[in-house]
Amino acid sequence: MKRETIKKNRIHAAEKKEYYTEREKYWARLEQEADDAEAMKIIRKKHITPEQLALFNSLSEKEVADMIAARDKESRQTPPDEGGAFHAENEKETNENAKKVIS
């Protein structure tokens, strides 16, 4: 190849590289805007106040994970039906008393 052709192709490749770099930045910006819009939709849907959002943003990921783990642990420790065992014992006693009365 001639030197001029090589130089021309190199310039052309550099221009293409610049064009595609700009396109990549453009699509990255659009993707970020879409993510932001989705986040705003969730914030509005969940009625999150600006104060709550600021508090959440100030927490580290580890603190949030610890808070969620503590909440989950607490919810597992409380029985779903308060007094469920008590009712079962009373029902058992009632059935035994009914059998005695019938006999």
Side-chain angles (χ1 to χ4, degrees), residues 48 52-73:
I48 297 172
Q52 290 171 326
L53 188 60
L55 176 64
F56 182 72
N57 287 336
S58 69
L59 297 174
S60 71
E61 287 184 26
K62 185 178 184 322
E63 290 171 319
V64 172
D66 291 343
M67 290 171 66
I68 291 172
R71 185 188 69 193
D72 290 345
K73 183 178 178 183

Side-chain angles (χ1 to χ4, degrees), residues 3-79:
R3 194 180 244 331
E4 295 83 27
T5 306
I6 294 171
K7 187 174 182 176
K8 180 179 150 186
N9 287 337
R10 190 173 141 247
I11 291 170
H12 182 69
E15 289 171 352
K16 276 184 146 179
K17 178 182 176 185
E18 183 179 331
Y19 170 78
Y20 285 114
T21 301
E22 290 298 317
R23 293 298 293 170
E24 193 276 330
K25 288 178 185 177
Y26 169 77
W27 288 113
R29 185 175 52 83
L30 285 180
E31 183 179 26
Q32 183 61 48
E33 288 175 6
D35 289 345
D36 292 346
E38 184 68 25
M40 290 304 295
K41 186 189 303 183
I42 292 169
I43 288 169
R44 278 191 220 110
K45 181 179 179 183
K46 300 293 183 179
H47 306 291
I48 297 172
T49 65
E51 293 82 18
Q52 290 171 326
L53 188 60
L55 176 64
F56 182 72
N57 287 336
S58 69
L59 297 174
S60 71
E61 287 184 26
K62 185 178 184 322
E63 290 171 319
V64 172
D66 291 343
M67 290 171 66
I68 291 172
R71 185 188 69 193
D72 290 345
K73 183 178 178 183
E74 184 179 297
S75 68
R76 279 182 287 191
Q77 288 178 350
T78 58

Side-chain angles (χ1 to χ4, degrees), residues 77-93:
Q77 288 178 350
T78 58
D81 180 28
E82 296 286 334
F86 179 74
H87 291 301
E89 288 176 15
N90 284 343
E91 187 176 325
K92 184 177 179 182
E93 288 176 11

